[in-house]
Amino acid sequence: MERPTSRNDRPSRSAHAVRPAWRGLSKRLGINAVVAAFCLALIGIFWAAVVAQVELDRRVTIENAIKQNSNLAKAFEEHTVRTIKGFDAALLFIAHEYARLGMKIDIASYIKKGLIDGRLFVNIGVTNERGDMLASSQRRPGPINIADREYFRVHMPQDSGRMFFSKP
């Protein structure tokens, strides 16, 4: 059993006065300050790691986007070159067939048979030097003259035999 404490058993106020009050407070604050500083340092390290990771992810994302765009540009360029070569081959074939058959040329049947890729063209035609359409891959309701069109006028001064691509 505990014995009751008397007034004499308790340390006197004067004993407390000998120990400075700030000493106990500083010991507690010292440990708390160390813990607080350690926690702040951990939080700072954590945020620095988060910022570094976000920056790394950003750089990787940008590099991947550049690489993907580069690949798309190469694919688009290759597709464009193949398409232009397809135009050129079809036009050379039509010129050859027109020289061989004259007005008997049937461009629509060449497209049906797959000799010319019809997906590349809206219309393929042969015109004379005045712009009158002589043969076409589409049915014509009547005589058609294209002398006023840019793609025809380019070839009027001198036909270089080269393709011309008008503005879209």
Side-chain angles (χ1 to χ4, degrees), residues 86-87 90-91 94 105-109 111 116-127 131-146 149 151 163-164:
F87 289 157
L91 294 175
I94 298 238
I105 189 171
D106 186 6
I107 299 171
S109 71
I111 292 172
I116 297 173
D117 187 359
R119 296 173 297 170
L120 299 176
F121 305 95
V122 173
N123 183 27
I124 305 171
V126 177
T127 62
D132 298 321
M133 184 80 65
L134 303 176
S136 174
S137 61
Q138 296 181 351
R139 291 188 171 216
R140 299 172 294 182
I144 296 176
N145 186 287
I146 60 168
R149 314 257 168 78
Y151 55 83
M163 288 187 285
F164 169 76

Side-chain angles (χ1 to χ4, degrees), residues 2-120:
E2 280 186 46
R3 93 182 176 158
T5 57
S6 68
R7 218 172 176 216
N8 294 338
D9 289 344
R10 280 189 265 151
S12 68
R13 268 181 107 68
S14 60
H16 282 294
V18 174
R19 272 189 12 212
W22 62 269
R23 230 181 197 184
L25 186 62
S26 75
K27 280 185 184 178
R28 276 185 285 162
L29 279 181
I31 294 238
N32 288 342
V34 168
V35 169
F38 179 74
C39 288
L40 286 174
L42 279 178
I43 290 170
I45 291 169
F46 173 77
W47 277 109
V50 167
V51 168
Q53 184 64 42
V54 166
E55 182 59 30
L56 177 67
D57 289 348
R58 181 181 173 275
R59 258 188 272 127
V60 167
T61 301
I62 289 171
E63 288 171 8
N64 287 340
I66 289 170
K67 191 183 298 183
Q68 185 177 9
N69 285 344
S70 176
N71 290 340
L72 286 173
K74 286 177 187 175
F76 182 68
E77 178 185 14
E78 290 169 2
H79 173 71
T80 302
V81 168
R82 277 193 312 270
T83 302
I84 291 172
K85 285 182 178 181
F87 289 157
D88 194 40
L91 294 175
L92 290 172
F93 176 71
I94 298 238
H96 176 267
E97 289 296 291
Y98 184 74
R100 188 172 72 89
L101 300 172
M103 292 299 291
K104 293 180 183 176
I105 189 171
D106 186 6
I107 299 171
S109 71
Y110 296 146
I111 292 172
K112 276 184 190 170
K113 293 176 185 176
L115 297 172
I116 297 173
D117 187 359
R119 296 173 297 170
L120 299 176

